[in-house]
Amino acid sequence: MHKVITKCPVCTKEMKIMKLKCNHCNTIIENEFSISKFDRLSKEQLNFVEVFLACRGNIKDVEKQLGISYPTVRGKLDEINHELGLAIKKDTRKEKEKIMDMLENKEISSEEAINLLKKL
C-alpha cells in the first residue's frame, strides 16, 4: 500500500483527498477530506516519531535505539516540528554555544556541527 501523496508533483501545493473506497463492499464516498499533519511526514520522520514516543521522549533512549547522536536527535525533532508547523522561534545564541561546546569536547564532528549550525 502506498502513502498518501500530500503535495502536487507539478506545483508542490497541498493536494486534497476526494474519494474513499471500501475494499470489502466497494462502497465509494466522494467528498473533500482533510489530511492529517502527520501525513506530511516522510516514512523516516514517522519512524523517528514512533521511536520517540515509544521511548517516552527520553532522548538518551532514542539515541540508543536509533544509534544516533544527541545533536542528530535534536535536529530530527526540529525538522519534524517545522514540518508539523510547531517550530518555535528561539534565541539561537545558546544553541550555537552548545554546538560549539560539543565540538570542542569532541562529542560531535565538525561536519555535524556545520549541519546543526545551518539548521539554526
Side-chain angles (χ1 to χ4, degrees):
M1 186 161 294
H2 300 283
K3 188 177 180 312
V4 173
I5 299 170
T6 59
K7 292 184 181 174
C8 175
V10 177
C11 69
T12 70
K13 298 290 183 187
E14 188 170 302
M15 295 183 72
K16 296 178 182 178
I17 298 171
M18 303 298 291
K19 188 186 234 183
L20 298 174
K21 179 185 175 201
C22 174
N23 287 332
H24 178 72
C25 70
N26 291 321
T27 297
I28 295 173
I29 301 172
E30 291 189 41
N31 203 336
E32 190 173 305
F33 302 98
S34 62
I35 296 172
S36 163
K37 287 181 179 184
F38 292 96
D39 288 324
R40 296 182 185 119
L41 299 178
S42 69
K43 286 181 183 180
E44 180 183 304
Q45 290 170 327
L46 280 173
N47 179 60
F48 179 86
V49 169
E50 288 176 10
V51 170
F52 185 80
L53 292 173
C55 292
R56 303 177 80 186
N58 185 310
I59 291 180
K60 288 282 184 203
D61 290 345
V62 175
E63 287 178 63
K64 289 177 193 171
Q65 183 84 19
L66 297 177
I68 57 178
S69 66
Y70 174 83
T72 304
V73 172
R74 289 290 309 268
K76 288 183 180 293
L77 283 171
D78 289 344
E79 177 185 297
I80 290 167
N81 278 336
H82 178 74
E83 190 66 37
L84 294 175
L86 303 173
I88 300 170
K89 284 197 170 190
K90 58 188 173 202
D91 181 11
T92 59
R93 249 179 314 165
K94 289 180 184 178
E95 290 295 317
K96 287 178 184 176
E97 287 175 16
K98 284 181 190 176
I99 293 167
M100 296 309 290
D101 288 342
M102 287 188 292
L103 179 62
E104 188 175 307
N105 296 329
K106 299 188 189 299
E107 295 173 25
I108 60 173
S109 69
S110 56
E111 190 174 298
E112 283 180 303
I114 290 168
N115 287 335
L116 289 169
L117 289 168
K118 283 181 180 177
K119 289 180 182 178
L120 294 179

